[in-house]
Amino acid sequence: DIVMTQSPDSLAVSLGERATINCKSSQSVFYRPNNKNYLVWYQQKPGQPPKLLISWASTRGSGVPDRFSGSGSGTDFTLTISSLQAEDVAVYYCQQYYTTPLTFGGGTKVEIK
Amino acid sequence: QVHLVDSGGGVVQPGKSLRLSCATSGFTFSSYGMHWVRHAPGKGLEWVAVIWSDGNNKFYADSVRGRFTISRDNTKNMLYLQMNSLSAEDTAVYYCARDFYGGGRDPLFLFDFWGQGTVVTVSS
């Protein structure tokens, strides 16, 4: 199974500041024939189901604000919130869909400092 | 709008069975693969099962294979999860989720819409 490791487990960021979350996979999730990374980021707010933020490592989902961006390739990925807003308080998960079983990172809790 | 409404959760004794349902609306259900994903207390998200849009293919996580059965009724826009031989390790919030790919394509195995979740507690 591909193991997804997120860091940090939690972080507190001041409003308007940058938040950076890392996700590392135990093997590459890059598929060379289509030049795509099979990596997705979800946001889960308290009491709500996860929401798709970014697919293919860097493609924002429908309606996702442009302060959210994804980067990385192969085994190392980053989710960046460029200017943290109060509504961004949530747990963020990465997931690989390169192969089954699908696997998720353990989550990163983002709070306001 | 796309809506997924999970139901059927509850408290059940170890070894017993439970059937979850997911009522869908707002999209062409028969064109999408569908999944169940669970979130156990204090643990991470775990994908459980997938069913292709036509219902002809299914795939399960090792932890549930042989005990859980995913099914769908495309005439009723419903998704189901039959859970047998339940144990404490199956205690979780269960979410139904729509696959990203529609149009009858093979599932991509990421989820663009989720239900609100239904809580399953396995306890004596």
Side-chain angles (χ1 to χ4, degrees), chain A residues 28-45:
Chain A
S28 177
V29 298
F30 178 72
Y31 187 56
R32 194 167 300 279
N34 62 7
N35 201 36
K36 288 182 179 290
N37 287 283
Y38 283 60
L39 188 285
V40 59
W41 290 96
Y42 299 100
Q43 173 194 63
Q44 187 173 27
K45 296 181 179 180

Side-chain angles (χ1 to χ4, degrees), chain B residues 20-93:
Chain B
L20 305 184
S21 299
C22 174
T24 75
S25 61
F27 66 103
T28 305
F29 179 70
S30 60
S31 293
Y32 286 83
M34 296 294 297
H35 303 261
W36 288 98
V37 179
R38 67 185 181 182
H39 196 177
K43 297 186 178 179
L45 292 161
E46 180 186 17
W47 169 80
V48 172
V50 62
I51 186 167
W52 264 240
S53 58
D54 59 7
N56 286 338
N57 288 301
K58 307 170 186 181
F59 199 68
Y60 300 91
D62 287 347
S63 58
V64 306
R65 187 175 295 119
R67 300 187 300 121
F68 289 13
T69 301
I70 188 171
S71 62
R72 64 192 296 160
D73 185 336
N74 284 349
T75 66
K76 297 181 178 179
N77 297 333
M78 294 289 296
L79 177 72
Y80 305 101
L81 185 68
Q82 177 67 42
M83 305 186 296
N84 299 332
S85 303
L86 285 161
S87 70
E89 287 67 42
D90 298 314
T91 293
V93 178

Side-chain angles (χ1 to χ4, degrees), chain A residues 93-104:
Chain A
Y93 296 94
C94 60
Q95 177 222 318
Q96 65 80 19
Y97 49 105
Y98 182 82
T99 187
T100 54
L102 313 180
T103 46
F104 294 84

